[in-house]
Amino acid sequence: MPEATGADLAAGLVQAARTAGATDPQVRGADWQTAVVTAVNADGTVSVGMIRARRLDSYQGAAVGDLIEIGQSSSKNWVARGRLTGADIGVGGYLFARKTADTSRASTTTATDDPHLTVAVAANAVYTVEGYMVYLAGATGDIRIGFTAPAGATGAYTMRGPDLSATGGGTTSQVRIQSLIDFTSTIPAGGMSPTYSSAHALGTVVTAGTGGTFAVRWTQNAADPTASVLMTHSWLRLQRMS
């Protein structure tokens, strides 16, 4: 067997160190960090200073000022994993979420949170609420829309949309305006498929000692095998007032 040279020994030591470092976080250091979003880009990335990180699909409604977790792969690519719980936008700041894909629901009257129209609100805060929901629903299934709020939250909202009696084209007498003073119920709106419809919500939410999820919650008004669809580009926006 040939005798190992000094260069061979040095190379072996370097490789051994690399192998050990790859499995020991004390050697390689943390591969994630917190950061504040400085720009939201149209290609699905966010900027945090000089770093450009691609958002996970679960990180919806990215906004400048978000406190997020970012990580880096061994190939030096950055990923934005999502907004951190408890991130405080401050008075006057906005929370925004937009649907990036259609969501269909059929044969159900159980309202559940939309997978895209959800934001994290702080405890002991006051927000104004606005939502634009464009949908496609049949005259049998229609749609019902409301909100999910953290435990103890109070508030009120008004929904404006087609009445359940509405037909394609509609008239002013077929517009429904209804208000609620809690977040336990939902408000119906008429479907006119194949014509698209929309509902517009305005309101206020006041959180108590618990922050958490505020989301659009919806279902069919009557169970129908023809799906009701909440469409891409619907959005939810909250502004913190105190």
Side-chain angles (χ1 to χ4, degrees):
M1 178 179 295
E3 184 177 349
T5 66
D8 292 333
L9 291 172
L13 289 172
V14 169
Q15 184 58 46
R18 287 175 176 168
T19 301
T23 58
D24 187 346
Q26 291 184 323
V27 175
R28 72 171 187 268
D31 59 2
W32 69 274
Q33 60 184 282
T34 60
V36 176
V37 174
T38 56
V40 179
N41 308 308
D43 61 355
T45 63
V46 293
S47 296
V48 287
M50 299 299 292
I51 295 173
R52 197 177 182 102
R54 183 159 299 281
R55 290 185 287 138
L56 295 182
D57 185 62
S58 57
Y59 179 19
Q60 300 291 331
V64 172
D66 282 353
L67 178 64
I68 64 171
E69 178 188 339
I70 59 174
Q72 189 179 40
S73 70
S74 59
S75 58
K76 307 300 183 184
N77 294 315
W78 287 93
V79 62
R81 297 189 176 113
R83 187 182 295 107
L84 295 176
T85 301
D88 190 350
I89 59 172
V91 174
Y94 286 92
L95 297 170
F96 181 80
R98 179 182 68 88
K99 282 191 71 61
T100 57
D102 299 344
T103 300
S104 299
R105 291 177 179 169
S107 302
T108 182
T109 57
T110 301
T112 55
D113 292 352
D114 187 83
H116 303 105
L117 301 183
T118 178
V119 297
V121 294
N124 302 308
V126 178
Y127 298 87
T128 55
V129 179
E130 185 174 10
Y132 170 70
M133 283 71 70
V134 59
Y135 61 91
L136 187 65
T140 300
D142 298 307
I143 198 168
R144 295 187 70 92
I145 303 172
F147 297 101
T148 293
T154 58
Y157 68 96
T158 298
M159 190 84 67
R160 183 183 185 202
D163 189 72
L164 293 175
S165 65
T167 57
T171 66
T172 54
S173 64
Q174 294 177 322
V175 174
R176 182 187 189 96
I177 301 174
Q178 184 176 343
S179 299
L180 292 174
I181 57 171
D182 61 65
F183 297 108
T184 61
S185 303
T186 52
I187 295 175
M192 298 179 287
S193 180
T195 301
Y196 292 99
S197 306
S198 65
H200 188 208
L202 288 172
T204 305
V205 59
V206 181
T207 58
T210 302
T213 296
F214 188 90
V216 173
R217 181 167 58 96
W218 66 279
T219 186
Q220 292 182 304
N221 185 59
D224 183 24
T226 300
S228 299
V229 185
L230 195 58
M231 306 298 295
T232 303
H233 302 312
S234 299
W235 52 263
L236 172 68
R237 179 174 62 194
L238 278 68
Q239 184 178 20
R240 184 165 179 178
M241 307 307 293
S242 68

